[in-house]
């Protein structure tokens, strides 16, 4: 069975990049444009891992993560952001990983693989 | 950076003190006539120079909130001092606190806003005198991640509590919840080190432990989960045998865990030389007291036996002992004892009125109860048990709001 990933990012080009790259690595990939869509999807489906951007219009990724974890404390979550400042923020420490965004997806891919125990 | 933020957990249901906790949180239960249980922890903070305090409330908080507003509103925000009560925020979770650790976990955002170096976590329902600065100094010196305040309790009593086994430097080797054979403390084989529910954590360590615990299937409790888990991982956990500011022969720390211990701890105060000293001007206990007239006794008609007598008792402002006799008892404000009534070894809360010729023995009578003339409490357990709850130790507890009728004989 393919592992199922959900990405949330308000940047359309990044959504395309994540979908293409992770699908070619053999994952099933879904996209959300903001935190609201993430929460809707999580209500209906289950995901092996959720990758959240922090700075999104409306609810940010940290708050979305808190809401997800309050429903399912075992849900794996990666915060994926261009900002380093949040790394020090206690509210982000519940994430399984904190990745600084880059067009080079090596680090993100390795972390996904590590958290899902290989794929 | 704020060196130490203090969080007092005052949200427990206090079921073991029911019916006194039916309408009020355990920290708001009266103690020693004029005090509330929370006053002792808050006074420890005040006397230790601790002025940044969050108080986590939950069940039945109205009476507690009112007491804080009336009695503890003198900290100055402009100087960075505060006592703020925080009810559950439902910020992310749709439920009340699942355990002591969960109550802090659900308020991690407060830690993020303040970013204190350390967090002092206290319980709002214990009676003791402790300078928390001594604990903090010990914690800094040992470079511990967390230091647990420890009371020295006779080993046979310790088997009902959280006991710590420590090495010679007081690093905790094991944390045992209600062990059948509690290990002794170093240098004294007769006593064990018992957790007082007083913890000082390095903030970052606390946050990491709370998050870890939040994802685990646990009771989310410091004593049952967080501390044993940290010790099992060989983290730097220390015990601090507390220095008792009560300055009596034996160290004094009481968890008012039952109605019997509530009664006994209060009765200690009326003894000639109480274990717990309320009269130490160097460690005052602060509270709120209304503006009541001085306590009064009237009638000195010894010929007719109509004498207002107060013996071995504590009586608060506004009380009138009018021709009745009070022995080894504690009266909260505005209690009235009428002629020929006799009250012994009892605790009467505010506005209780004891009618003429009534007899009360070994009882706790909650707020506002009117005892009819000639009524007896504590003399016939079988009869009492039909109307009131009676503790295993034989104390009759009369809840507030009850309507009592005169005996029909």
């Amino acid at each position: 069975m393919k592992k199922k990933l959900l990405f949330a990012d308000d940047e359309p080009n990044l959504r395309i990049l994540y979908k293409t790259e992770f699908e070619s690595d053999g994952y099933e990939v879904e996209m959300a444009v903001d935190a609201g869509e993430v929460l809707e999807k999580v209500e209906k489906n289950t995901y092996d891992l959720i990758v959240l951007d922090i700075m999104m219009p409306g609810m940010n990724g940290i708050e979305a993560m808190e809401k997800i974890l309050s429903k399912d404390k075992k849900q794996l979550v990666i915060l994926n952001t261009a900002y380093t400042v949040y790394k020090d923020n206690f509210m982000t420490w519940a994430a399984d990983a904190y990745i600084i965004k880059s067009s080079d997806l090596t680090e993100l891919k390795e972390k996904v693989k590590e958290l899902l125990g290989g794929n | 950076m704020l060196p130490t933020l203090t969080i007092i957990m005052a949200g427990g249901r206090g079921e073991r003190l029911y019916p006194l906790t039916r309408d009020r949180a355990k920290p708001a239960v009266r103690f020693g006539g004029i005090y509330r249980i929370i006053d002792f922890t808050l006074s420890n903070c005040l006397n230790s120079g601790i002025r940044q305090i969050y108080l986590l409330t939950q069940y039945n908080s109205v009476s507690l909130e009112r007491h804080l507003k009336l009695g503890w509103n003198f900290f100055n925000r402009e100087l960075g001092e505060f006592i703020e009560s925080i009810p559950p925020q439902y910020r992310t979770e749709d439920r009340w606190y699942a355990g002591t650790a969960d109550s802090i976990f659900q308020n991690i955002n407060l830690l993020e806003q303040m970013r204190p170096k350390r967090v002092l976590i206290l319980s709002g329902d214990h009676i003791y005198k402790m300078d928390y600065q001594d604990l903090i100094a010990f914690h800094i010196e040992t470079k511990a991640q967390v230091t647990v305040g420890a009371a020295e309790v006779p080993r046979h009593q310790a088997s009902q509590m959280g006991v710590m086994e420590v090495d010679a430097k007081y690093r905790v080797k094991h944390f045992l919840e209600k062990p059948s054979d509690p290990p002794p403390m170093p240098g004294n084989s007769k006593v064990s080190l018992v957790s007082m529910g007083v913890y000082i954590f390095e903030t970052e360590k606390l946050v990491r432990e709370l998050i870890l615990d939040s994802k685990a299937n646990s009771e989310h409790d410091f004593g049952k989960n967080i501390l044993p888990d940290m010790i099992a991982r060989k983290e730097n956990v220390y015990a601090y045998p507390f220095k008792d500011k009560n300055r009596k022969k034996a160290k004094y720390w009481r968890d008012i865990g039952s109605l019997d211990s509530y009664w006994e701890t209060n009765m200690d105060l009326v003894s000639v030389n109480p274990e717990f000293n309320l009269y130490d001007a160097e460690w005052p206990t602060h509270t709120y007291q209304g503006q009541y007239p001085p306590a009064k006794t009237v009638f000195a008609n010894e010929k007719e036996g109509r004498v207002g007598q107060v013996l071995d008792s504590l009586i608060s402002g506004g009380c009138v002992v009018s021709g009745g006799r009070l022995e080894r008892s504690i009266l909260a404000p505005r209690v009235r004892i009428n002629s020929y009534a006799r009250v012994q070894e009892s605790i009467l809360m505010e506005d209780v009125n004891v009618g003429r010729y009534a007899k009360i023995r070994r009882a706790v009578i909650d707020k506002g109860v009117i005892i009819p003339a000639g009524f007896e409490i504590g003399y016939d357990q079988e009869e009492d048990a039909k109307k009131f709850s009676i503790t295993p130790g034989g104390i009759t507890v009369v809840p507030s709001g009850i309507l009592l009728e005169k005996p029909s004989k």
Side-chain angles (χ1 to χ4, degrees):
Chain A
M1 259 265 295
K2 280 185 179 179
K3 297 270 171 142
K4 202 166 166 187
L5 310 180
L6 174 63
F7 286 82
D9 207 301
D10 57 320
E11 176 61 53
N13 292 329
L14 281 175
R15 290 202 296 271
I16 294 165
L17 177 70
Y18 295 144
K19 193 159 173 64
T20 322
E21 287 279 331
F22 281 88
E23 276 181 351
S24 73
D25 283 359
Y27 296 99
E28 191 181 333
V29 181
E30 283 188 30
M31 288 291 153
V33 298
D34 59 19
E37 196 182 353
V38 171
L39 297 178
E40 272 171 37
K41 281 179 172 290
V42 170
E43 282 282 304
K44 287 180 227 144
N45 311 307
T46 55
Y47 299 93
D48 295 296
L49 177 67
I50 301 173
V51 182
L52 297 168
D53 183 18
I54 292 182
M55 289 292 276
M56 294 183 285
M59 188 190 295
N60 70 31
I62 300 171
E63 198 183 337
M65 173 179 72
E66 287 184 311
K67 289 195 190 301
I68 292 164
L69 290 177
S70 77
K71 295 258 162 30
D72 178 8
K73 59 195 179 185
K74 308 267 188 202
Q75 175 67 58
L76 295 174
V77 178
I78 292 177
L79 289 173
N80 182 40
T81 173
Y83 302 90
T84 55
V85 292
Y86 295 109
K87 194 162 186 171
D88 197 36
N89 184 317
F90 292 154
M91 314 310 287
T92 67
W93 292 9
D96 297 284
Y98 186 102
I99 306 274
I100 305 299
K101 256 187 202 178
S102 158
S103 54
D104 174 3
L105 297 185
T106 315
E107 193 189 354
L108 181 60
K109 283 184 172 181
E110 275 173 7
K111 192 48 92 175
V112 169
K113 201 168 161 185
E114 179 193 319
L115 288 172
L116 294 177
N119 192 316
Chain B
M1 185 194 248
L2 177 65
T4 305
L5 172 70
T6 298
I7 300 181
I8 302 177
M9 299 182 293
R13 235 188 238 278
E15 273 162 344
R16 289 174 302 166
L17 289 195
Y18 189 90
L20 301 181
T21 49
R22 189 189 63 198
D23 304 320
R24 58 180 87 83
K26 184 172 163 190
V29 169
R30 270 191 189 273
F31 187 88
I34 61 168
Y35 304 102
R36 309 282 183 149
I37 291 173
I38 188 75
D39 289 330
F40 298 93
T41 299
L42 286 174
S43 293
N44 284 344
C45 290
L46 190 61
N47 295 331
S48 303
I50 282 184
R51 303 287 158 86
Q52 288 82 26
I53 303 167
Y54 283 127
L55 206 123
L56 305 182
T57 62
Q58 193 168 232
Y59 300 102
N60 285 335
S61 63
V62 174
S63 160
L64 181 59
E65 294 280 0
R66 191 178 297 137
H67 180 68
L68 292 174
K69 199 180 282 175
L70 293 169
W72 288 93
N73 65 350
F74 49 82
F75 281 24
N76 191 338
R77 250 292 177 192
E78 289 174 35
L79 301 178
E81 306 172 347
F82 58 88
I83 297 180
E84 270 177 25
S85 69
I86 316 269
Q89 302 292 298
Y90 291 82
R91 205 177 51 83
T92 54
E93 309 284 343
D94 294 331
R95 55 172 171 79
W96 286 25
Y97 302 139
T100 51
D102 186 49
S103 72
I104 313 277
F105 173 75
Q106 287 202 33
N107 289 289
I108 278 185
N109 60 317
L110 299 176
L111 302 182
E112 172 55 30
Q113 286 159 18
M114 304 281 293
R115 299 291 301 204
K117 173 92 177 70
R118 289 175 287 273
V119 184
L120 175 65
I121 298 172
L122 306 171
S123 306
D125 48 11
H126 297 158
I127 312 274
Y128 63 110
K129 294 182 184 175
M130 176 175 182
D131 188 335
Y132 300 125
Q133 300 297 351
D134 293 340
L135 165 75
I136 295 169
F138 176 87
H139 173 80
I140 292 170
E141 198 186 301
T142 57
K143 297 190 172 63
Q145 298 280 14
V146 53
T147 304
V148 183
E152 292 150 37
V153 170
R155 280 174 70 187
H156 64 278
Q157 287 172 21
S159 55
Q160 289 308 307
M161 305 173 181
V163 177
M164 290 176 283
E165 187 177 357
V166 300
D167 68 14
K169 289 182 171 159
Y170 288 90
R171 185 168 169 170
V172 182
K173 292 190 290 183
H174 295 104
F175 193 104
L176 311 153
E177 193 68 34
K178 299 186 179 173
S180 53
D181 182 24
M185 74 176 282
N188 188 344
S189 60
K190 290 189 177 127
V191 298
S192 294
L193 290 173
V194 160
S195 167
M196 301 166 73
V198 168
Y199 316 111
I200 182 145
F201 273 90
E202 294 299 296
T203 307
E204 295 196 358
K205 188 66 190 168
L206 173 64
V207 170
R208 294 203 188 280
E209 291 297 331
L210 291 174
I211 288 171
L212 202 62
D213 174 73
S214 78
K215 297 187 181 201
N217 289 322
S218 97
E219 291 178 58
H220 308 299
D221 186 90
F222 281 105
K224 288 178 195 153
N225 308 111
I226 301 243
L227 292 168
D229 287 1
M230 287 181 74
I231 292 157
R233 277 185 265 120
K234 310 260 183 254
E235 302 269 11
N236 250 343
V237 180
Y238 279 78
Y240 170 74
F242 93 111
K243 288 196 199 105
D244 189 359
K245 291 289 172 182
N246 191 40
R247 294 181 297 192
K248 290 270 178 165
K249 218 176 190 175
K251 290 192 185 182
Y252 190 96
W253 172 80
R254 296 287 186 280
D255 173 9
I256 309 291
S258 68
L259 287 163
D260 282 321
S261 71
Y262 174 78
W263 182 84
E264 279 160 21
T265 320
N266 270 282
M267 281 302 119
D268 165 55
L269 300 176
V270 302
S271 62
V272 176
N273 190 6
E275 286 181 67
F276 192 72
N277 181 8
L278 291 170
Y279 300 88
D280 183 357
E282 285 177 34
W283 201 268
T285 305
H286 184 88
T287 187
Y288 166 74
Q289 293 193 70
Q291 299 287 346
Y292 308 123
K296 183 182 186 184
T297 68
V298 283
F299 293 115
N301 189 344
E302 289 183 24
K303 220 165 85 188
E304 285 176 26
R306 192 185 191 191
V307 181
Q309 279 182 306
V310 176
L311 305 167
D312 289 339
S313 294
L314 298 180
I315 52 175
S316 308
C319 288
V320 182
V321 179
S322 168
R325 181 182 167 101
L326 188 69
E327 288 168 71
R328 285 184 45 77
S329 291
I330 296 179
L331 304 188
R334 294 190 314 255
V335 172
R336 192 176 172 98
I337 312 285
N338 289 302
S339 291
Y340 314 108
R342 184 163 190 173
V343 177
Q344 291 171 292
E345 301 198 307
S346 293
I347 301 162
L348 275 52
M349 304 299 187
E350 61 268 44
D351 297 312
V352 167
N353 189 309
V354 181
R356 285 185 171 203
Y357 298 102
K359 280 166 77 182
I360 298 168
R361 188 168 70 181
R362 291 168 64 81
V364 179
I365 301 180
D366 206 349
K367 195 173 170 174
V369 173
I370 311 287
I371 311 287
F375 202 87
E376 289 184 5
I377 295 170
Y379 286 84
D380 183 345
Q381 281 218 352
E382 224 170 279
E383 197 56 36
D384 285 348
K386 290 179 189 163
K387 300 181 277 285
F388 315 120
S389 38
I390 297 176
T391 66
I395 306 300
T396 308
V397 185
V398 181
S400 64
I402 195 166
L403 289 175
L404 301 177
E405 285 175 16
K406 279 183 206 176
S408 51
K409 56 186 169 187

